[in-house]
Amino acid sequence: KQEVTQIPAALSVPEGENLVLNCSFTDSAIYNLQWFRQDPGKGLTSLLLIQSSQREQTSGRLNASLDKSSGRSTLYIAASQPGDSATYLCAVCSSGAGSYQLTFGKGTKLSVIP
Amino acid sequence: DTGVSQDPRHKITKRGQNVTFRCDPISEHNRLYWYRQTLGQGPEFLTYFQNEAQLEKSRLLSDRFSAERPKGSFSTLEIQRTEQGDSAMYLCASSLPGTAYFLTQYFGPGTRLTVL
């Protein structure tokens, strides 16, 4: 059974800092790994998707890396802004599950202090 | 707006009542998923449709839960005889057809259920 862990559970940084969020998963048989953002009481917004054959993906100030063999991914946020404050969720799509269901971590709650 | 929509956004009900939620996926998305998210946790998979066929159900989906997707368009999730443990955010997602390697799931805003 796939399990996803995110560290840290919460993170508070001053505006302008670069930061890294970590995600680990137990089964390396995956189609892809996705990072989402969730604002309080809201749905999920997709940030980046990394296919299992890829090492990283970039979108603006966000860069996500994937090391499938070690079961790890990181989300790097450059020059953080108060608007980046949200919960960031990592999810893997396991290749053993025919439904392409996502298995999520519990998230990292990010607070960027002005 | 052409994103995933869910209705209602909030539902408060008394224990033992039945509730039904609706999800409208992005047009041309043939895959539709339901997830449940409790406070402080990540979403957990409930069930999956490809077109009108329900292809997988999680063990979390007890006999009191039923989901449908008639004609492969919108989907409904019904909970019968609600219990306080059913209180959660119910999220719907959809994705395009194709191989899973590059398929992003797009999520709706969710329906917040509170069972008193």
Side-chain angles (χ1 to χ4, degrees):
Chain A
K1 177 189 172 187
Q2 181 73 266
E3 293 182 358
V4 180
T5 304
Q6 292 188 245
I7 294 173
L11 181 64
S12 183
V13 300
E15 181 178 0
E17 268 203 11
N18 302 326
L19 59 101
V20 174
L21 308 181
N22 297 290
C23 172
S24 61
F25 48 96
T26 55
D27 186 350
S28 62
I30 64 171
Y31 285 121
N32 63 57
L33 182 144
Q34 299 177 45
W35 283 94
F36 293 88
R37 168 187 173 137
Q38 186 172 33
D39 293 289
K42 302 291 177 64
L44 280 63
T45 300
S46 177
L47 297 174
L48 290 164
L49 179 149
I50 311 177
Q51 297 176 42
S52 60
S53 59
Q54 296 177 322
R55 298 285 292 182
E56 65 179 286
Q57 279 288 335
T58 298
S59 176
R61 294 183 294 109
L62 305 180
N63 176 276
S65 68
L66 174 64
D67 184 341
K68 194 176 72 166
S69 61
S70 67
R72 295 180 186 277
S73 175
T74 62
L75 179 67
Y76 175 84
I77 303 177
S80 58
Q81 302 171 358
D84 295 331
S85 298
T87 295
Y88 291 80
L89 293 158
C90 166
V92 296
C93 184
S94 300
S95 56
S99 66
Y100 313 141
Q101 63 181 268
L102 294 175
T103 303
F104 284 84
K106 293 184 179 181
T108 294
K109 186 175 181 179
L110 173 65
S111 298
V112 181
I113 312 301
Chain B
D1 183 25
T2 57
V4 178
S5 62
Q6 293 186 246
D7 184 70
R9 296 291 305 279
H10 303 275
K11 179 70 177 178
I12 300 174
T13 191
K14 293 182 180 178
R15 189 176 54 184
Q17 297 295 306
N18 299 343
V19 294
T20 300
F21 310 141
R22 176 178 170 128
C23 171
D24 286 89
I26 296 171
S27 59
E28 299 176 353
H29 281 198
N30 72 331
R31 294 191 176 124
L32 186 146
Y33 306 79
W34 286 97
Y35 293 84
R36 181 174 70 185
Q37 185 178 27
T38 53
L39 201 61
Q41 304 294 314
E44 295 175 290
F45 170 77
L46 292 179
T47 190
Y48 156 69
F49 290 86
Q50 183 164 301
N51 299 311
E52 66 275 9
Q54 186 175 19
L55 297 184
E56 188 163 341
K57 294 195 294 186
S58 161
R59 292 173 208 169
L60 293 175
L61 217 62
S62 74
D63 291 344
R64 297 184 297 105
F65 287 70
S66 63
E68 294 182 341
R69 193 182 182 197
K71 303 178 184 178
S73 55
F74 70 92
S75 175
T76 59
L77 178 67
E78 180 183 16
I79 309 174
Q80 296 182 329
R81 305 181 304 282
T82 52
E83 302 172 355
Q84 288 185 326
D86 297 331
S87 296
M89 175 80 88
Y90 290 84
L91 293 162
C92 176
S94 68
S95 68
L96 286 164
T99 66
Y101 290 96
F102 52 83
L103 284 180
T104 297
Q105 290 188 24
Y106 294 90
F107 282 77
T111 293
R112 168 75 66 189
L113 173 65
T114 302
V115 182
L116 303 176

